[in-house]
Amino acid sequence: ELINSYDNSILYTDYFLANTIEKLKEENAISYLFYVSDHGENLYDDEEDMTFHGTIKTSKWELHVPLILWTSDKYRQVFNEKVRAINKNKDEKLSTTIVFHSLLDMADISIKDENINKSISNFSLNADSIRYVLNVNGDIVTYK
C-alpha cells in the first residue's frame, strides 16, 4: 500500500507535467518547463530497509532527485546556444544550487550578482553534486 501510494504520486506528477507541456505547446510561444523534485523517498530500496524521508541517516534515495527540462520549438530556435549547452550538461551531477541561476539564464534575465557558472543552459557550468542536508537532529550533513 505504501509503495502503491508513492507510485501513484509519481504517476500523477507525470500526468500533471505532461498536461502542462501540452498547454505550453498550444501557446506556441517561446517557453520552457523546468521541474525538480524537492526530495526523494526511501521505500525499502536497499539493505537499510528504510522508509520515508527526513531521517537521521539520509540516504541516496532521498537526495538523488529528477530534473525535467522541456523547451518549446520556438525556444529552441531563439535560444539555440542555451539548448546546446543544456544538452551538453544534461548528464552532469548537479545540486539544486543551479535552479535559481538556470531559471534566470534560460529566461535571458541578467542580475547584478548572477553566477552564470551555475546555469545548466551555459557552457561554462561548473558541475557540483555536493548536497547539504539538515537532518531531524538539526545537524548539517554534507553528501557527495
Side-chain angles (χ1 to χ4, degrees):
E1 202 171 281
L2 174 67
I3 293 171
N4 186 47
S5 170
Y6 181 76
D7 288 348
N8 282 335
S9 74
I10 299 300
L11 182 63
Y12 183 76
T13 300
D14 288 348
Y15 167 81
F16 174 80
L17 293 175
N19 280 316
T20 303
I21 288 169
E22 285 306 313
K23 295 283 186 200
L24 290 170
K25 284 180 181 177
E26 289 171 12
E27 293 296 318
N28 196 27
I30 300 168
S31 58
Y32 66 88
L33 177 133
F34 189 106
Y35 172 84
V36 63
S37 183
D38 59 340
H39 60 77
E41 198 73 27
N42 294 303
L43 290 172
Y44 310 109
D45 298 301
D46 55 25
E47 63 281 347
E48 298 278 334
D49 209 30
M50 297 190 308
T51 57
F52 307 115
H53 65 274
T55 59
I56 293 171
K57 182 179 178 187
T58 307
S59 76
K60 70 178 181 179
W61 307 107
E62 294 172 71
L63 301 176
H64 293 225
V65 297
L67 167 64
I68 297 170
L69 200 133
W70 171 88
T71 58
S72 69
D73 290 338
K74 284 190 176 179
Y75 186 94
R76 288 189 294 278
Q77 290 170 0
V78 172
F79 296 111
N80 183 272
E81 284 297 300
K82 292 182 187 300
V83 173
R84 285 184 50 236
I86 291 166
N87 286 325
K88 174 194 167 281
N89 294 324
K90 68 182 171 71
D91 295 320
E92 295 290 343
K93 292 184 178 180
L94 304 170
S95 69
T96 54
T97 60
I98 65 122
V99 172
F100 177 74
H101 302 286
S102 295
L103 291 173
L104 288 175
D105 186 33
M106 288 186 67
D108 212 29
I109 297 172
S110 296
I111 62 170
K112 180 181 162 193
D113 296 324
E114 71 184 353
N115 187 347
I116 208 70
N117 296 331
K118 287 202 174 280
S119 171
I120 196 169
S121 60
N122 196 284
F123 284 105
S124 65
L125 171 73
N126 290 331
D128 177 11
S129 63
I130 297 174
R131 288 141 173 96
Y132 301 97
V133 178
L134 185 65
N135 70 15
V136 294
N137 286 341
D139 302 321
I140 296 175
V141 183
T142 305
Y143 287 91
K144 284 192 175 194

